[in-house]
Amino acid sequence: MRKTIIAGNWKMYKTVAEAKAFFQRFVELVREAAHCEIVVCPPFPALAAAAEAAAGSNVAIGAQNLYWGKEGAFTGEVSGPMLRAIGCQYAIVGHSERRQYFGETNETVLKRTQAALEYGLTPIVCVGETLAQREAGQTGAVLIEQFRQGIAVLPAGQFARIVLAYEPVWAIGTGRVATPQIAADAHRLIRAEARAVYGEEAAGAIRILYGGSVKPDNVQGLMAQPDIDGALVGGASLDPVSFASIVNF
Ligand code: PGA
């Protein structure tokens, strides 16, 4: 059985003080939640405070990105070992905002994923089509290309340790959530790709999260789909009550 993951991506929101206030409330609200893994991904400056605030709870901390080197002259970058050292367990990789605004490609997604694994972080690797691609009937082709070029190069042992996230770009931050049916279709397609490359067992074990306008009032329909193994939540993860009610769907 695949254990559900509910992950929050704070994007570029919250100072250290705001992060501390969030955790003070949130940790209490999800204390009884044993049915899923809970992950919160604050921006870099708030990570250490978040890890400290979440220590001893059932909430894990993730970064929103990482560089693939261990250390070196890479101004502005943050490495896997640095993230591990402050208690991070996860890292989002290849989010569409990174692809769209910061030149992320399938090739750099792969490098970051490998680095995360090498340094003991669980990468949450994002794929998803834009609205133009969906309207042009290219959704399947785009997802397959992102999977083949950015993920399927991993050896089977590494693939088994990653988490995938399907995030249709048109649903991110727009309030326009994918219907459970649309999301489930995409998840099935991604799992079929995983099966083609890694076989039945690996495909059955890989967790695929849905992301894009997940809210307390639409999470249940999405989670009812057998191929949807959790959620990657942006806007609705910023408020402790809202995110807790998603966790406790
Ligand atoms: P959203 O963002 O929930 O605000 O749509 C999701 C994401 O980008 O991970």
Side-chain angles (χ1 to χ4, degrees), residues 11 22 73 108 122 138 144 148 150 169 187-188 219:
K11 309 194 179 187
F22 173 95
T108 57
T122 298
Q138 294 167 348
I144 288 169
R148 294 250 161 122
V169 179
H187 283 231
R188 260 195 303 278
V219 64

Side-chain angles (χ1 to χ4, degrees), residues 14-36:
K14 290 196 195 292
T15 61
V16 169
E18 289 164 344
K20 283 183 182 166
F22 173 95
F23 278 95
Q24 212 161 37
R25 190 83 203 279
F26 181 68
V27 165
E28 285 307 307
L29 293 170
V30 298
R31 203 152 42 136
E32 307 291 322
H35 62 285
C36 66

Side-chain angles (χ1 to χ4, degrees), residues 102-125:
F102 302 101
E104 191 83 69
T105 63
N106 291 330
E107 193 187 0
T108 57
V109 167
L110 180 65
K111 285 182 167 183
R112 289 183 214 280
T113 302
Q114 288 169 323
L117 291 168
E118 181 175 352
Y119 298 119
L121 298 159
T122 298
I124 301 175
V125 188

Side-chain angles (χ1 to χ4, degrees), residues 1-218:
M1 263 318 279
R2 300 186 291 266
K3 187 159 190 187
T4 300
I5 300 179
I6 304 289
N9 170 15
W10 283 359
K11 309 194 179 187
M12 200 174 72
Y13 291 99
K14 290 196 195 292
T15 61
V16 169
E18 289 164 344
K20 283 183 182 166
F22 173 95
F23 278 95
Q24 212 161 37
R25 190 83 203 279
F26 181 68
V27 165
E28 285 307 307
L29 293 170
V30 298
R31 203 152 42 136
E32 307 291 322
H35 62 285
C36 66
E37 289 171 31
I38 308 165
V39 184
V40 176
C41 303
F44 288 133
L47 277 175
E52 205 178 303
S57 78
N58 53 346
V59 181
I61 301 300
Q64 297 172 19
N65 188 25
L66 81 161
Y67 186 64
W68 50 82
K70 182 173 171 232
E71 59 183 9
F74 301 105
T75 301
E77 294 301 307
V78 171
S79 74
M82 293 171 183
L83 296 170
R84 277 295 296 176
I86 55 165
C88 266
Q89 290 172 259
Y90 292 81
I92 298 172
V93 171
H95 189 279
S96 65
E97 285 150 18
R98 303 290 325 165
R99 294 179 188 257
Q100 201 175 343
Y101 307 130
F102 302 101
E104 191 83 69
T105 63
N106 291 330
E107 193 187 0
T108 57
V109 167
L110 180 65
K111 285 182 167 183
R112 289 183 214 280
T113 302
Q114 288 169 323
L117 291 168
E118 181 175 352
Y119 298 119
L121 298 159
T122 298
I124 301 175
V125 188
C126 304
V127 297
E129 81 288 0
T130 64
L131 183 59
Q133 288 165 336
R134 173 159 288 270
E135 286 177 343
Q138 294 167 348
T139 299
V142 167
L143 294 177
I144 288 169
E145 183 175 301
Q146 289 174 344
F147 185 84
R148 294 250 161 122
Q149 294 181 2
I151 296 161
V153 190
L154 297 170
Q158 290 195 340
F159 180 74
R161 291 164 51 211
I162 73 170
V163 172
L164 293 176
Y166 168 62
E167 296 208 310
V169 179
W170 47 270
I172 294 177
T174 58
R176 191 179 158 191
V177 65
T179 63
Q181 198 51 55
I182 287 178
D185 286 347
H187 283 231
R188 260 195 303 278
L189 184 143
I190 295 165
R191 205 178 296 284
E193 278 304 295
R195 189 175 298 116
V197 178
Y198 295 104
E200 189 65 46
E201 200 176 323
I206 188 89
R207 288 175 292 181
I208 309 177
L209 316 184
Y210 167 80
S213 295
V214 175
K215 307 287 177 211
D217 63 2
N218 61 30

